[in-house]
C-alpha cells in the first residue's frame, strides 16, 4: 500500500472562553482542513491514528488566554492542531536507530493530535510503546493503564492517603478516572464505603455494578438530601473532579481533618454549565480542618527524581488487581466508531454526560 | 462596696440563618434581660466583664442549625447566653484553693459571655490568668497575645510553612489576625513581599504603616487589575479569612505548589453580603497543584499531646518581636467604650468593615 500524502486535520479556529462551539459556524472552536503529510526525517515516523483519547483536561488546554506559566502543559492556541493522546499504528519509520518501534506496532502518541496521519518524532516526549498487560486491548493504555487509571491510583494513595476501612465520595464516578477510583478504592484498598456521584439513574446502576456501595444522581431533585442520608457518619475523603455546587454540598459531609483531592473542575469548564455558588459551606473547610490538594498526574508519572513510579508501583498494582478480578475493564471503555469528521462531536460528549467509562474515539 | 445582685445579660433570641439582626424587633438575634447573680459555690468566682472580645468566629457559633459535631466548640443556641472571650475583673472568690486569682485581678474568661457580672468556675476551661508582657495592656490578651495573634503565628509557621524571602497575600489584613500576619510576616519572617487586602483607602494607608509592601482596597473598581499588577511574579502563599470572590481572584495569583491557609470565611457569614461565584478559577487549584488547609487555632494552642506550644513558641516569639520594635501594638487595638446595652452593636461592626485592628468593647 502506498503511504498517504494528505491528511485531514482539526485545528483551533476560535479559542473558547465560555462554551465550546462544535458546529461549522464562524464561531466554531475547531476547523477541519486537509493538509499535506510531510516527508519523513531521520528520527521520525509516520503514524495513523486509530484510537483517540477524549479527556476533560483538554478543555483547559484550549481555554482562551490561558497563561503557559499557569498550565502544566503547552497551551493549544488558535491555529494549532488540537492536541490529544492517541493510539496510532506505525506506517513507516525513517532510518531510525530506535529499536522500540516497527511498522504495524501500536504506539501511544502525545503529539499526533486530531489528525488522521501524522509524522511524529520517536522521542519519548512524542510517543511511547503501548504498555498494557497481555491479552488486554491497546485502548486500555488510554484508560485503566493510562492517565485516568494512574490518576485514580495516585489520587487515592498519595493525595488522599486513603486507607483500608475508610469511606470515600467520588464525583464524576462514571467517568474514566471515577470508575477506576470506585473499583480500586472498594476492591483493592478495601474501603468501608464508596459513594459514587453520577449524572443519571443508568449510571447509578452501572457504577454500583463496579463496586460502589451507594450511587447518587446529582440531577435528582432529592440529591442534596440523598447525599446527607448516605453520609450520616461523614466520610474520610472526597475525590473531586467537578468542583462547583457539588463541592459545596460535599464539604459539610467530610470528617474533621478529612482530605479532598482536587482532580478536575468539569462543572466550570464550559462556564454556562456551572451554577453559581455562595460558598456558604466553605467555613467548614476551616472549622473541620479540611485539606484540599490539587494535583496533576504528570508529577507522579514523571517525578523530578527521574524514578519511574508508574512502572514500579501503579502499573503492577492495577495489573495485579485486574488479573485477580478485583478490577474489570468490561464495560468501562466507551468506544465510539466515527469518521474523522466527527472527532470533535465525540469529544463534546464529555461535557454532556453522554459517556460511561473511558470515552475513546475509534476512527472508522 | 457591696456585690451586685443582678446583671444584664444578652441571650440568643433567634438563631441567625442569613444576616444577624441587631435591633429590638421580633426577629432580633439577641435579647437583653436582667437576671439575678447566683451565689458563689466553692471553686467559683464572681467577675465583672471589663473588656469584651469581638471575633468573626462568633458568627459561626450561633448559626442556625449548626451541628455540634461540625464545630470546634459548643454551639450557642436560642436561649443561651451569647458566648465571648473577655477580660474581667475578679470581684469575689469563694473558699477557693486556687492561688492563681485574687480580688481585683484581671482574668481571661471563656465563659463570662455577654454579661456584666458573671459567676464562673476557676477551672482552666472557664478562665485563665491574663498573660501579656510587662507594661502591656491586658487587652492585648484578646489580640496580639490571644487567639488572633496566635492564629497569625501558627497560620504562617505551621499551615503556610512560610519562609524568609517568600511572598504573601493576606485578606482582611486590617483585622485582628490580619494586621499581625502582615507585621509578623514582614518584620519577623522577612517576607519578600506582603500584599494586604483591605476594605478602604484609609485601611490601605494604615496597613502600609504596619509593613505591608502593597495594600489593595477590594472595594475599588480596579481591584481585580490591581491584584494582577501587584502579583506579576505570583505569590507563595495566601492567608485567607474571607473566602468568596476574593479567594477566586487570588487563586490564579498563587505560584505552583503554593499554599492557602483557610482561616475564616467572613464574606459568607451573613449570607447577604457574599457575592455569587462561578468557581471559574478553581481549576487552577488543580493545574497549579495548590494546597488549601483549613485550621483552627485551638489545635495549636491545646495540642493533643498536652504540650504548651504557645508558652514555648508563639508567646516568646511575639513578645520578643514586640520588644525589638518589629511588631507594634500602637493603633492595632480598636477599643470602643459603650454601655452594656450596646454590646451587640459594637460586635456588628466586625461585619461592616468598621473596625481597624482588634475590636474590643470596653464596658462603660
Amino acid at each position: 500500500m502506498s503511504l498517504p500524502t494528505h491528511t485531514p486535520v482539526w485545528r483551533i479556529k476560535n479559542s473558547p472562553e465560555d462554551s465550546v462551539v462544535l458546529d461549522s459556524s464562524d464561531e466554531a472552536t475547531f476547523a477541519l482542513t486537509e493538509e499535506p503529510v510531510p516527508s519523513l526525517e531521520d528520527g521520525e515516523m509516520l503514524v495513523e491514528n486509530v484510537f483517540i483519547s477524549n479527556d476533560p483536561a483538554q478543555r483547559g488546554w484550549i481555554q482562551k488566554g490561558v497563561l503557559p506559566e499557569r498550565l502544566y502543559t503547552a497551551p493549544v492556541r488558535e491555529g494549532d492542531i488540537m492536541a490529544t493522546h492517541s493510539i496510532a499504528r506505525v506506517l513507516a519509520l525513517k532510518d531510525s536507530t530506535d529499536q522500540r518501534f516497527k511498522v504495524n506496532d501500536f504506539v501511544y502518541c502525545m503529539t499526533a493530535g486530531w489528525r488522521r496521519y501524522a509524522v511524529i518524532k520517536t522521542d519519548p516526549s512524542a510517543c511511547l510503546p503501548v504498555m498494557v498487560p497481555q491479552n488486554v486491548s491497546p485502548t486500555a493504555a488510554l484508560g485503566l493503564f493510562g492517565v485516568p487509571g494512574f490518576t485514580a491510583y495516585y489520587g487515592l494513595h498519595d493525595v488522599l492517603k486513603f486507607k483500608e476501612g475508610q469511606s470515600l465520595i467520588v464525583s464524576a464516578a462514571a467517568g474514566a478516572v471515577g470508575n477506576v477510583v470506585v473499583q480500586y478504592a472498594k476492591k483493592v484498598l478495601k474501603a468501608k464505603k464508596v459513594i459514587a456521584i453520577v449524572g443519571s439513574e443508568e449510571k447509578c446502576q452501572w457504577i454500583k455494578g463496579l463496586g460502589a456501595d451507594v450511587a447518587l444522581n446529582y440531577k435528582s431533585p432529592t440529591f442534596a438530601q440523598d447525599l446527607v442520608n448516605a453520609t450520616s457518619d461523614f466520610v474520610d475523603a472526597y475525590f473531586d473532579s467537578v468542583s462547583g455546587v457539588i463541592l459545596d454540598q460535599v464539604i459539610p459531609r467530610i470528617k474533621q481533618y478529612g482530605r479532598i483531592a482536587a482532580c478536575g473542575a468539569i462543572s466550570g469548564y464550559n462556564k454556562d454549565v456551572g451554577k453559581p455558588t455562595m460558598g456558604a459551606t466553605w467555613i467548614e473547610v476551616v472549622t473541620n480542618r479540611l485539606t484540599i490538594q490539587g494535583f496533576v498526574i504528570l508529577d507522579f508519572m514523571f517525578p523530578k527524581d527521574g524514578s519511574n513510579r508508574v512502572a514500579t508501583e501503579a502499573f503492577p498494582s492495577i495489573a495485579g488487581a485486574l488479573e485477580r478480578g478485583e478490577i474489570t475493564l468490561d464495560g468501562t471503555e466507551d468506544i465510539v466508531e466515527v469518521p474523522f469528521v466527527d472527532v470533535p462531536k465525540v469529544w463534546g460528549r464529555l461535557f454532556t454526560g453522554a459517556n460511561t467509562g473511558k470515552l475513546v474515539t475509534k476512527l472508522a
Side-chain angles (χ1 to χ4, degrees), chain A:
Chain A
M1 135 185 169
S2 61
L3 295 175
T5 59
H6 286 74
T7 181
V9 179
W10 282 104
R11 291 182 181 266
I12 305 290
K13 182 176 176 184
N14 296 291
S15 298
E17 194 160 10
D18 295 333
S19 288
V20 289
V21 179
L22 298 177
D23 59 23
S24 54
S25 67
D26 287 349
E27 292 74 38
T29 301
F30 306 105
L32 183 62
T33 62
E34 183 81 9
E35 303 183 10
V37 174
S39 55
L40 282 178
E41 304 288 331
D42 191 39
E44 292 182 340
M45 58 186 175
L46 174 66
V47 300
E48 175 183 15
N49 269 326
V50 179
F51 300 106
I52 289 180
S53 187
N54 297 292
D55 300 286
Q58 291 170 280
R59 178 63 185 80
W61 306 349
I62 64 175
Q63 177 67 22
K64 183 171 189 160
V66 64
L67 301 174
E69 67 267 34
R70 301 302 288 170
L71 201 64
Y72 54 94
T73 188
V76 185
R77 302 297 195 189
E78 286 180 7
D80 288 350
I81 298 165
M82 178 58 185
T84 189
H85 292 198
S86 60
I87 304 292
R89 191 189 310 274
V90 178
L91 299 184
L93 298 99
K94 176 81 177 293
D95 293 340
S96 178
T97 56
D98 194 322
Q99 300 301 306
R100 295 178 306 160
F101 306 105
K102 58 182 191 300
V103 170
N104 275 329
D105 273 2
F106 279 120
V107 56
Y108 186 101
C109 296
M110 277 80 84
T111 59
W114 280 4
R115 286 182 283 191
R116 183 75 204 225
Y117 304 104
V119 170
I120 62 170
K121 295 192 190 313
T122 53
D123 188 270
S125 69
C127 65
L128 295 167
V130 169
M131 192 168 77
V132 295
Q134 278 198 315
N135 303 321
V136 167
S137 158
T139 52
L142 300 176
L144 183 60
F145 293 100
V147 166
F150 302 141
T151 298
Y153 179 93
Y154 286 105
L156 284 166
H157 276 286
D158 286 53
V159 182
L160 292 177
K161 304 175 195 305
F162 196 80
K163 300 285 187 299
E164 180 174 343
Q166 291 189 324
S167 51
L168 176 74
I169 298 175
V170 192
S171 61
V177 174
N179 89 81
V180 184
V181 173
V182 168
Q183 296 192 71
Y184 194 90
K186 188 67 197 175
K187 308 281 186 61
V188 180
L189 294 178
K190 313 292 183 195
K192 181 181 177 189
K193 191 173 190 179
V194 175
I195 297 160
I197 299 176
V198 295
S200 73
E201 296 303 323
E202 292 70 27
K203 288 179 178 176
C204 283
Q205 294 311 311
W206 182 77
I207 199 66
K208 283 203 274 190
L210 291 178
D213 296 286
V214 179
L216 304 176
N217 176 4
Y218 75 86
K219 293 177 181 167
S220 162
T222 61
F223 171 71
Q225 188 58 48
D226 296 342
L227 179 63
V228 170
N229 294 346
T231 55
S232 55
D233 292 338
F234 302 99
V235 298
D236 295 284
Y238 177 38
F239 201 114
D240 180 29
S241 299
V242 302
S243 79
V245 290
I246 293 179
L247 176 59
D248 287 352
Q249 288 169 295
V250 170
I251 281 173
R253 311 312 303 165
I254 303 175
K255 286 181 187 173
Q256 290 199 339
Y257 305 98
R259 296 181 68 83
I260 298 174
C263 174
I266 200 167
S267 69
Y269 289 177
N270 298 302
K271 289 178 194 161
D272 56 339
V273 304
K275 289 181 192 167
T277 153
M278 297 300 283
T281 63
W282 186 259
I283 185 59
E284 294 224 21
V285 173
V286 180
T287 56
N288 287 295
R289 298 88 152 170
L290 307 185
T291 296
I292 304 171
Q293 186 179 331
F295 75 107
V296 171
I297 190 58
L298 301 179
D299 292 347
F300 298 96
M301 293 179 73
F302 307 104
K304 284 185 180 145
D305 65 6
S307 63
N308 190 341
R309 294 185 64 192
V310 166
T312 57
E313 290 174 9
F315 187 93
S317 176
I318 297 172
L322 183 69
E323 196 178 341
R324 292 190 301 275
E326 294 168 354
I327 290 184
T328 184
L329 266 167
D330 292 349
T332 68
E333 295 182 297
D334 194 345
I335 299 176
V336 183
E337 186 165 354
V338 292
F340 186 82
V341 67
D342 286 335
V343 163
K345 274 187 205 154
V346 178
W347 179 75
R349 294 188 187 197
L350 288 171
F351 308 103
T352 63
N355 65 300
T356 306
K358 173 64 192 180
L359 179 64
V360 175
T361 303
K362 182 177 183 185
L363 293 179

